[in-house]
Amino acid sequence: FVDDVMLLYNEYQKSGAKIKEPPKNFPWGLCEFLVEDPDGHVLRIGSERTGPDDAGWQNTARRGSA
């Protein structure tokens, strides 16, 4: 977890990081995005939500994860 997921997301985007999924607000109270590290591991990074649930949150790469 981070203090400001949007700030980190913007930094990663500018650096050319491999973003797997942009930030979305989820019903469990978090705003999260997915990024792939240089070794191919996908990291889920989140902070407090930034608004209401995003449409289509059920159809994300997180599906089936807890």
Side-chain angles (χ1 to χ4, degrees):
F1 296 100
V2 296
D3 288 332
D4 186 340
V5 77
M6 295 306 294
L7 179 65
L8 185 60
Y9 170 74
N10 290 330
E11 287 180 27
Y12 280 7
Q13 259 194 324
K14 288 176 188 173
S15 75
K18 194 170 190 178
I19 304 294
K20 301 297 281 182
E21 198 168 271
K24 288 191 182 290
N25 288 303
F26 291 90
W28 48 85
L30 295 175
C31 180
E32 302 176 345
F33 74 96
L34 300 178
V35 62
E36 187 174 317
D37 75 8
D39 294 323
H41 302 280
V42 176
L43 307 174
R44 178 168 48 173
I45 300 173
S47 67
E48 290 186 28
R49 60 190 299 138
T50 58
D53 296 351
D54 283 308
W57 67 266
Q58 303 93 329
N59 300 320
T60 67
R62 290 161 195 76
R63 207 167 132 159
S65 65

